[in-house]
Amino acid sequence: MKLGDIDRFNIINNPEVLRHLYNKSPLGIAIFNMKGNLIQANRNFRDIWNLYSPSELFKINILQHIEIPSLKLKKLKNKEEINFNTGISLREFEKKSQIKINKYGKK
């Protein structure tokens, strides 16, 4: 391991840096528990999806609203690390979650 690798590792594992990235990221970031329930979302996630009330936010379950390939889902349920990309339109999400949002996240 090179010195630069160690520096990157220390930066990434620094709680202050992670908190700053979470709070200041232009991307919407959501954190889910092992059951797929949303437990926390940054401001941009809430702004993008226009979900502000706890009752709306905590309805989101990634395992119910996002299609995850069965092999990846099995690994996830076994608490194994997975990597995959997926996309869902706001309309598709609205239909699956029954949370009313419009095309641009505004009700």
Side-chain angles (χ1 to χ4, degrees):
M1 186 177 283
K2 300 174 194 162
L3 180 59
D5 294 335
I6 293 169
D7 292 342
R8 279 188 287 257
F9 180 79
N10 290 334
I11 289 170
I12 290 171
N13 287 297
N14 181 322
E16 188 175 320
V17 171
L18 293 176
R19 192 176 307 104
H20 177 80
L21 290 172
Y22 176 82
N23 290 325
K24 302 296 182 182
S25 173
L27 304 173
I29 299 172
I31 300 170
F32 298 86
N33 66 16
M34 290 301 291
K35 294 180 180 179
N37 298 311
L38 180 109
I39 57 172
Q40 190 172 346
N42 72 353
R43 181 176 196 80
N44 280 335
F45 180 92
R46 295 187 313 262
D47 287 348
I48 290 165
W49 294 89
N50 197 35
L51 299 172
Y52 298 99
S53 78
S55 64
E56 290 176 324
L57 279 168
F58 298 122
K59 282 183 187 177
I60 299 173
N61 182 294
I62 194 137
L63 301 178
Q64 293 174 358
H65 303 137
I66 305 290
E67 290 185 30
I68 300 172
S70 58
L71 182 58
K72 301 272 186 183
L73 185 58
K74 184 177 179 181
K75 286 182 175 186
L76 188 62
K77 287 183 177 180
N78 286 331
K79 299 181 181 182
E80 296 176 46
E81 184 176 323
I82 64 166
N83 291 309
F84 81 101
N85 293 315
T86 188
I88 185 168
S89 70
L90 292 174
R91 288 286 173 232
E92 188 179 354
F93 177 82
E94 181 181 54
K95 194 174 187 179
K96 287 183 177 189
S97 69
Q98 297 180 354
I99 297 170
K100 295 288 182 192
I101 54 178
N102 80 11
K103 183 176 171 185
Y104 300 103
K106 296 183 178 147
K107 292 182 181 182

